[in-house]
Amino acid sequence: MAAPIKVAAISGSLRKSSFNSGLIRSAIELSKTSTHGIEIDFIDISNLPIINTDLENQGGVAYPPIVQSFRQKILQADSVLFASPEYNYSIAAPLKNAIDWASRAPNVWAGKAAAIVSAGGGFGGGRSQYHLRQVGVFLDLLFINKPEFFLNAFQPPAKFNSDGDLIDEEAKIRLKEVLLSLQGLTLSLQDKS
């Protein structure tokens, strides 16, 4: 049996009961129960300093230790799962900050398969996903095209509980489809290398 693919999962929301973080937690649960061959590591970005290149190359160290640890986790992953909330029609600042730190030379995003999920009002975070895809072009991230996953978190019936955990079974099925597509793209890229 082949080793599972390693997925670095990042939520752009720092809120404790974040619906977007809830999507990541649900993806982890699915990877353990019904989506075999995937191992998801939820990477906390809340303590990353705001990107400032003055913090680089201090005391003979390329990056602050917390940044270096984050970069190493991305480097060791086979693929990336982003949960991208939408703030003002775009990517949330914490997520953009993490993306920027990992893009510093050498760019540790390059060549990785990626997927995006989001939850929110209206379009369910869709505009942030399209901006993230644009950023991904420069980063050399290879996003799955389908299925797309946008979830209107406020439209009945309830999608999340008060802790931000995904409770909607239809959404879980759609999330599983995203994970399977990410797994397929990741394996395809590995076969080509």
Side-chain angles (χ1 to χ4, degrees):
M1 181 182 229
I5 63 165
K6 294 182 179 175
V7 180
I10 302 169
S11 174
S13 176
L14 305 182
R15 191 171 62 84
K16 184 178 178 184
S17 299
S18 161
F19 296 154
N20 285 279
S21 296
L23 293 175
I24 299 285
R25 289 190 302 273
S26 187
I28 291 170
E29 186 62 31
L30 287 168
S31 74
K32 293 177 180 177
T33 59
S34 63
T35 311
H36 304 290
I38 298 176
E39 185 177 288
I40 301 175
D41 181 18
F42 195 162
I43 300 174
D44 181 12
I45 62 171
S46 64
N47 293 317
L48 289 174
I50 297 296
I51 190 161
N52 177 352
T53 55
D54 288 344
L55 298 176
E56 296 177 22
N57 300 311
Q58 291 188 356
V61 179
Y63 297 100
I66 194 163
V67 171
Q68 185 57 35
S69 175
F70 169 69
R71 290 173 52 82
Q72 196 62 32
K73 289 175 183 176
I74 301 302
L75 186 63
Q76 291 172 348
D78 299 308
S79 56
V80 184
L81 175 63
F82 293 100
S84 183
E86 182 178 315
Y87 290 4
N88 300 317
Y89 281 24
S90 191
I91 304 165
L95 180 56
K96 183 63 166 68
N97 185 57
I99 288 168
D100 291 345
W101 270 122
S103 72
R104 300 292 296 156
N107 171 18
V108 296
W109 302 113
K112 294 194 184 298
I116 315 168
V117 295
S118 59
F123 190 22
R127 292 175 196 92
S128 72
Q129 289 196 27
Y130 295 142
H131 277 192
L132 183 50
R133 285 178 177 276
Q134 290 174 330
V135 171
V137 171
F138 179 78
L139 300 174
D140 195 24
L141 278 166
L142 305 165
F143 285 103
I144 64 168
N145 289 321
K146 294 192 187 236
E148 292 181 310
F149 186 102
F150 316 114
L151 183 61
N152 185 324
F154 306 106
Q155 182 179 359
K159 308 294 189 281
F160 297 88
N161 65 20
S162 60
D163 293 326
D165 296 321
L166 185 63
I167 58 173
D168 184 85
E169 292 303 319
E170 182 181 323
K172 288 181 182 181
I173 291 168
R174 292 176 44 224
L175 182 57
K176 179 180 176 180
E177 291 169 357
V178 169
L179 294 177
L180 292 172
S181 182
L182 178 60
Q183 181 182 38
L185 179 58
T186 304
L187 293 172
S188 175
L189 293 171
Q190 288 176 343
D191 287 345
K192 291 178 182 177
S193 60

